[in-house]
Structures are given as structure tokens and as C-alpha cells.
């Protein structure tokens, strides 16, 4: 039997827009607790209907599984992806249909298990550079800044065949501006095409212009001869041919892919590492376990470090929400959902679903060591189905390598216990994430830690 979708009451004229602007994640979590696995959010006034829009959330893992896998019912032509396309160009994330398939086939070999394992030495060298570098002196430091630097260098060297230190500072400045301007556009009830320089459009137009210039700098600085990696992202993009027409990618298509990979390839992983270290900074016992396993050798250190990152991404999923649109009438959690509905999928909420996550708010990496049984889509920080994150293995390996290197040299103590979050394009800390680091005198033995 179907039931009407519950709708939390919002502002009389703006609906849920003020609540989403004020505290998106808190609002989603609270309304899930109050209404259950399917909730409709009105953006704009209730009447007339055309003055606003509805977003319908699917929180149960079974519905998430359908949304991620059933491309006949759930498409990607959503407000959110349109804003991303307008903001940073049309890359793999926002493309659809045959061009998406072709581009994905072009880049996929760079992320095969064998290739990703091959990046381990490069990741370890970059981790050593960070850990032994001048920024990592005992005392108080900003974990987020450090992790952004690390992940950008890794993605730069692995995918673009060179380090990209000359764009680090500018990306550091532009990423939060991009997040703020594009999130504001996403919550606007009416959008004027970005080609029109209105006061509302100007900040996003400026950020976009500067980001394109960054991508072009990376492109201009690259040459096949100077690249130390024989088969990198740019060689692949430049060498790609349409199987039917034999045409190569245009300069604009290449620029958009480069920018997409620069952003998707560092910001999310930097967040995952920052949040994980912030939580580990309250748990010296868990740090000791990882360090002891590192000193013991064997696979336990990888298992423990990886479990810590997985749990970090459960509580703080860097891709905190995504969207789909219904291509036909369907049901979500027993509620009828009409064709053309915007569907919100939020790992932030589903990763806290009490049916699948006992004591959901507690940071407990052992959930991923025990490999507890749960539905596949109770946990999906990397999405799923054909559109799952292409960089998943890359990000997991990079994070494991960094955690092992950093923790075996330093103990991390969380200095600032309240971390304010900014759920923009990705989930990021709203300011610096301060921790006190001190050099380890001697690593504990596994037996001592696990006793
Ligand atoms: C912890 C790190 C990461 C997280 C949490 C993450 C998360 C995600 C998620 C959830 C999606 C799917 C979005 C959707 O279907 O709506 C996605 C797609 C994507 N990610 Fe990641 N990602 C991470 C790291 C990376 C890295 C390191 C790269 C590249 C080096 C990357 C490149 C991409 C690309 C290109 C797509 C689009 C794939 C497609 O549609 O074919 N990501 N990511």
C-alpha cells in the first residue's frame, strides 16, 4: 500500500531554503528522524506550484541501490549536476550517454588495480615529504591545509606527470569560493543564465574564469617529453579518438576533464583524511594500534589504517549528497513518486541510519575490520553502479599510505574539539582543523596495544 510522502513545514514563502542554508546536514538528519526513509522538501512557497520545486529524499539503502543502479528509472539531468557543469565545465562527472561512456573508457585504465598499486611508491614519497617537511613541526597545525597539499601533489604527479605546486595556492583559495557560489546557485528558486553578469552571477563567473585559467596553466605546462610518466591523463585525453568519426577531443573538452580531475581528485580525499585524523586525534589508543602494526610489518597496518579512513568517511562522507531525477513514476519507501522528481541521496543520513549502524554517531573503525553484515548501500561514500567513483582505489590507497607514514612518526591530538562543517560541493571544514602533533619517541609493540 502506498502512502503520501511526509513534508516538513518550512518558511511560508521560501519553504525549506532557509533551513538548508542555515544547516543542511542537521536539517536532513532531523527530518529523517521525524519522518523516515522518504521525505519531500519544498523549496519555495507551497502555492503556486510553479514558483518553487520539490526535492524528494531517498534514505533507505534499498532505495539508494535502485537510484544508483537502475538507469531506466533514475537519470542524472538534475539541478545539482547542471550547476556543476555551469561552474567547472562538462567533465566525466556531469557527462551522460555515449560521450560519458567514451570518456570513461579513455581514463579508466589509469585507475585499474594494477595501475593504482603502481602509484604506491609515488604516494609514499609524497607522504614522506609531508611528514618530514617544514610544515610538520611539533606543535599546532592545520590538518586540512596539510592534507590538501598532499592530495594535490599526489594527483598532480600521478595524473599529470608532474607536480603542480604552482597552482596549489590558487586552488586553495578558489575551492571554497567555488563551493559557496555554486551552492548559493543551487538553492536559488530562479536562475538567470550565467552568461548574464548579474550581481548574483558575478562571483561564480569570476571563480569559473580563474579555475579555467588554472586548468590551462596545467595544460600549457605539460609536454609529452617532459612528463616522467609515460601514460598519464593528458596523454590519454590527447590521444583519445572517437571510434566512429576518428575525431580527437577538443581543447575545451580536455580542459574540462583536467579541471574536473584536479578538483575531484584532491578535495574529497583531503577531506576524508582531515576528518579521519580529527577523530583519531581523540583516540590515542587507535593511533597506537596502527603504529604498532606498522612496526610489526604484515598486512594489519593496512587493514587498520583503511578501516579508520572508511569510518572517517562514514561519519563525514566527502560527497555528502548527490541527486538523481525520476524518468518514470516510481515508489520510494512505499511512497508514490511522480516522473520528473528531483531525488536527493545523502550518504550523510544513510551512514547514520540506526537500523544498520548501531551507536551511529560513535567513531569506531572496528566496524570495518569485523566486516559486519549490512546492505551494500548502507555505506556508499564513493557512490555505486556504473557511475561509481573512478578514483576509489586511488583515494583509499593514498589515504592508507599517508596515515601510516604520519602516525608512525607523530602522535596527533585534536586541539579544537568542535569542527564546523561546510557542506558545499563537497563536505569541507568551515575553517582550519587544528591539531597538536608531537614526535613519537618509540612505537609500541602490537602485543602491548592489543592486549
Ligand atoms: C575520498 C575520496 C573520494 C570520494 C569520497 C569520492 C566520491 C565520489 C562519488 C560519490 C562519486 C559519484 C557521484 C555520483 O554518482 O553522484 C564520484 C565520482 C567521481 N570521482 Fe570521486 N571521490 C573521491 C576521490 C576521487 C579521486 C582521487 C578521483 C580522481 C583521481 C576522483 C574522480 C572522480 C570522477 C572523475 C568521478 C565521476 C565518475 C563518473 O561519473 O564516471 N574521485 N566520486
Amino acid at each position: 500500500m502506498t502512502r503520501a510522502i511526509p513534508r516538513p513545514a518550512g518558511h511560508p514563502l521560501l519553504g525549506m531554503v532557509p533551513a538548508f542554508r542555515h544547516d543542511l546536514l542537521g536539517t536532513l538528519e532531523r527530518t529523517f528522524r521525524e519522518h523516515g526513509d522518504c521525505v519531500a522538501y519544498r523549496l519555495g512557497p507551497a502555492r503556486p506550484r510553479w514558483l518553487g520545486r520539490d526535492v524528494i529524499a531517498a534514505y533507505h539503502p534499498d532505495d539508494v541501490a535502485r537510484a544508483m543502479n537502475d538507469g531506466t528509472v533514475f537519470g542524472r539531468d538534475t539541478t545539482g549536476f547542471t550547476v556543476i557543469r555551469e561552474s567547472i565545465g562538462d567533465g566525466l562527472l556531469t557527462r551522460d550517454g555515449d560521450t560519458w561512456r567514451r570518456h570513461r573508457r579513455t581514463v579508466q585504465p589509469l585507475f585499474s588495480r594494477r595501475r593504482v598499486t603502481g602509484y604506491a611508491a609515488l604516494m609514499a614519497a609524497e607522504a614522506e615529504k609531508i611528514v618530514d617537511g617544514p610544515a610538520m613541526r611539533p606543535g599546532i597545525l592545520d590538518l586540512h591545509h596539510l592534507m590538501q597539499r598532499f592530495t594535490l601533489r599526489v594527483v598532480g604527479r600521478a595524473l599529470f606527470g608532474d607536480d603542480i605546486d604552482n597552482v596549489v595556492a590558487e586552488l586553495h583559495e578558489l575551492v571554497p569560493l567555488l563551493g559557496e557560489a555554486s551552492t548559493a546557485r543551487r538553492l536559488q528558486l530562479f536562475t538567470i543564465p550565467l552568461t548574464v553578469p548579474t550581481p548574483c552571477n558575478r562571483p561564480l563567473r569570476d571563480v569559473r574564469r580563474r579555475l579555467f585559467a588554472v586548468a590551462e596553466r596545467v595544460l600549457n605546462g605539460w609536454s609529452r617529453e617532459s612528463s616522467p610518466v609515460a601514460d598519464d591523463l593528458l596523454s590519454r585525453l590527447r590521444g583519445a579518438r572517437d571510434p566512429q568519426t576518428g575525431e580527437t577531443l577538443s581543447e575545451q573538452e580536455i580542459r574540462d576533464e583536467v579541471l574536473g580531475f584536479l578538483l575531484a581528485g584532491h578535495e574529497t580525499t583531503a577531506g576524508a583524511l582531515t576528518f579521519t585524523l580529527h577523530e583519531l586525534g581523540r583516540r590515542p589508543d587507535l593511533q597506537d594500534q596502527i603504529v604498532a602494526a606498522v612496526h610489526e610489518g604484515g598486512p594489519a597496518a593496512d587493514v587498520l589504517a583503511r578501516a579508520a579512513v572508511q569510518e572517517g568517511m562514514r561519519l563525514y562522507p566527502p560527497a555528502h549528497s548527490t541527486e538523481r531525477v525520476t524518468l518514470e513514476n516510481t515508489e520510494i519507501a512505499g511512497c508514490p513518486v511522480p516522473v520528473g522528481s528531483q531525488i536527493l541521496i545523502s550518504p550523510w543520513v544513510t551512514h547514520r541510519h540506526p537500523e544498520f549502524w548501531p551507536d551511529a554517531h560513535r567513531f569506531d573503525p572496528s566496524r570495518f575490520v569485523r566486516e559486519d553484515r549490512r546492505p551494500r548501500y548502507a555505506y556508499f561514500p564513493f557512490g555505486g553502479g556504473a557511475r561509481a567513483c573512478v578514483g576509489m582505489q586511488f583515494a583509499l590507497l593514498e589515504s592508507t599510505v599517508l596515515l601510516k607514514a604520519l602516525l608512525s612518526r607523530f602522535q596527533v591530538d585534536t586541539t579544537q574539539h568542535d569542527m564546523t562543517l561546510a557542506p558545499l560541493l563537497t563536505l569541507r571544514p568551515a575553517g582550519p582543523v587544528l591539531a597538536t602533533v608531537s614526535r613519537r619517541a618509540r612505537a609500541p609493540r602490537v602485543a602491548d596495544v592489543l592486549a
Side-chain angles (χ1 to χ4, degrees), residues 68 76 81 92-93 100 104 111 155 159 261 264-266 268-269 272 313 318-319 322-324 380-384 386-392 394-395 398:
M68 291 296 187
R76 287 173 72 95
F81 285 122
L92 200 57
L93 182 67
W100 166 75
R104 177 107 186 187
F111 297 95
V155 99
L159 297 189
F261 271 92
H266 92 282
T268 42
T269 321
M313 288 192 294
T322 185
E323 289 173 359
R324 297 293 186 264
F380 58 106
F382 295 102
R387 304 298 300 245
C389 176
V390 74
M392 176 174 89
F394 187 98
E398 177 184 11

Side-chain angles (χ1 to χ4, degrees), residues 26 41 79 91 129 139 150 160 165 210 215 232 292 305 326 338 346 369 372 408:
Y41 302 100
T79 316
K129 250 184 230 160
F150 167 68
F160 302 105
D165 276 354
R210 290 178 62 193
D232 62 14
T326 52
S346 167
V369 178
D372 298 346
S408 45

